Amino acid sequence: MAVSLREYRARIKSTESMKKITRAMELIAASRIIKAQQRAQAAAPYARELTRAVSAVATFSNVDHPLTREEENPKRAAVLVITSDRGLAGAYSSSVIKEVERLTERLRDEGKEIDFFLAGRKAEAYFKFRGRPYVQAWTGFSDQPTYDKAAEIGAALITAFLKEQGEEGDVDEVHVVYTRFRSMLTQEPTAIRLLPLEVVEGEEAPEADELLPLYEFEPSPEQVLDGLLPQYVQSRIFFSLLQAAASELAARQKAMKAATDNAEELIKKLTRIANQARQAGITQEISEIVGGVNALADAQAAAND
């Protein structure tokens, strides 16, 4: 019983140490979430207005630009997968991977081959473990993305998209799979098509007396698109990275809180079992002492007789 009691105490001690770690990680994630949310919210208006401006130029100028041109028979698509660099975030990365697999199945059903571009060590590890090829991977910044990294990823995707069909490394579509931050409790894996640009503003130019903003193109619509479209792609990728970072931190805080709560419950359970074992050991020792005293008294009584 003494050995068993020592084992219980050792398990309680190790669980308490683990609880301290998970609690610290929970607090760290909580302290970073607010900043990540603020960065994502600050980037949203720029990304939204830039998307509207690009859509307006593409719609109302009738310019045939490579980044807005739909291929008649698309054969290959690029998919950017955004996951985390570290674990201990619950089902955050696995949810993104599941969304990637659904998108992959749909694209292959449409007869398209897929080139994967990866952001985050979890995505890279997933593809390497399964021996699945990918074009390029970026790691080390999932919880604190920078615009420079977004620009680097955007440049790689634009380069692949602008290649002629049939040329090595060319793609006809660009998709992004990331986690959209809805709230502290809800993070939604999302797949969007980034290129070619999907025009959503309408087919007719607005009238002068309407409340919609009017656009004048200088020096020309072609040059405006040449300048805006790369920024559009980079800003959308940056916004996706910021959303993913906030989602990762929220998922990690939730996972670490659950781990801390589970550790507390396990400590209570082990403490109760250890106390029961200790009481059983004390009871057994008392029984042995009482039994020994009774046996000695009986032996003395027999000797006196």
Side-chain angles (χ1 to χ4, degrees), residues 44-60 197-202 206 210-215 217 224-225 228-229 232 235-236:
Y46 175 78
R48 182 171 56 250
E49 293 304 319
L50 184 57
T51 300
R52 291 189 63 191
V54 171
S55 296
V57 178
T59 303
F60 306 135
L197 175 65
E198 293 181 300
V199 178
V200 295
E201 292 290 336
E210 293 183 2
L211 297 179
L212 294 174
L214 296 177
Y215 296 93
F217 310 128
V224 172
L225 283 177
L228 284 181
L229 280 171
Y232 159 78
S235 68
R236 288 293 299 271

Side-chain angles (χ1 to χ4, degrees), residues 17-295:
S17 299
M18 186 175 297
K19 175 188 168 183
K20 292 178 181 178
I21 295 173
T22 56
R23 178 61 176 167
M25 294 185 68
E26 176 190 351
L27 295 175
I28 291 172
S31 67
R32 292 179 177 176
I33 286 176
I34 303 301
K35 185 176 180 180
Q37 283 183 269
Q38 291 174 345
R39 293 185 70 195
Q41 291 172 354
Y46 175 78
R48 182 171 56 250
E49 293 304 319
L50 184 57
T51 300
R52 291 189 63 191
V54 171
S55 296
V57 178
T59 303
F60 306 135
S61 65
N62 296 320
V63 174
D64 184 21
H65 194 276
L67 295 182
T68 62
R69 186 185 306 136
E70 295 270 1
E71 292 288 346
E72 294 183 1
N73 184 24
K75 297 180 179 180
R76 184 177 292 273
V79 176
L80 173 62
V81 184
I82 300 177
T83 63
S84 65
D85 286 316
R86 297 183 292 122
L88 300 177
Y92 169 75
S93 293
S94 61
S95 297
V96 176
I97 296 298
K98 289 179 182 178
E99 185 65 28
V100 170
E101 296 297 349
R102 285 192 289 267
L103 176 61
T104 299
E105 183 178 357
R106 177 170 64 82
L107 292 175
R108 285 177 175 164
D109 288 342
E110 296 172 358
K112 300 171 185 173
E113 298 181 6
I114 304 172
D115 287 345
F116 291 99
F117 294 78
L118 312 179
R121 291 192 179 94
K122 288 298 178 180
E124 186 179 26
Y126 177 84
F127 278 76
K128 282 184 176 180
F129 180 77
R130 286 159 180 78
R132 296 173 61 176
Y134 58 89
V135 178
Q136 194 170 352
W138 297 268
T139 60
F141 57 88
S142 68
D143 57 347
Q144 292 182 336
T146 63
Y147 193 85
D148 289 341
K149 284 295 182 182
E152 182 181 341
I153 296 171
L157 293 174
I158 291 174
T159 298
F161 185 78
L162 291 178
K163 291 183 178 180
E164 294 293 332
Q165 194 175 57
E167 187 179 351
E168 183 180 358
D170 80 287
V171 296
D172 302 317
E173 296 177 358
V174 175
H175 299 260
V176 180
V177 182
Y178 70 102
T179 305
R180 186 188 300 272
F181 182 86
R182 295 292 189 184
S183 68
M184 290 296 297
L185 299 178
T186 306
Q187 299 85 44
E188 178 184 350
T190 305
I192 61 172
R193 196 185 83 169
L194 191 61
L195 292 173
L197 175 65
E198 293 181 300
V199 178
V200 295
E201 292 290 336
E203 297 180 355
E204 297 182 358
E207 298 294 336
D209 58 349
E210 293 183 2
L211 297 179
L212 294 174
L214 296 177
Y215 296 93
E216 295 182 359
F217 310 128
E218 293 183 2
S220 68
E222 293 84 355
Q223 290 175 305
V224 172
L225 283 177
D226 286 340
L228 284 181
L229 280 171
Q231 295 184 40
Y232 159 78
V233 172
Q234 294 167 7
S235 68
R236 288 293 299 271
I237 292 175
F238 185 51
F239 182 67
S240 299
L241 290 172
L242 292 175
Q243 288 272 310
S247 300
E248 177 187 346
L249 291 170
R252 179 165 292 115
Q253 183 196 19
K254 185 165 58 176
M256 291 301 96
K257 185 180 187 306
T260 302
D261 293 342
N262 290 338
E264 290 179 351
E265 291 297 323
L266 182 58
I267 290 172
K268 291 178 181 178
K269 180 180 179 181
L270 291 174
T271 300
R272 183 169 59 252
I273 295 174
N275 289 337
Q276 292 174 351
R278 180 173 173 272
Q279 292 171 359
I282 293 173
T283 301
Q284 182 178 355
E285 291 177 358
I286 293 174
S287 299
E288 291 174 353
I289 293 172
V290 171
V293 170
N294 290 336

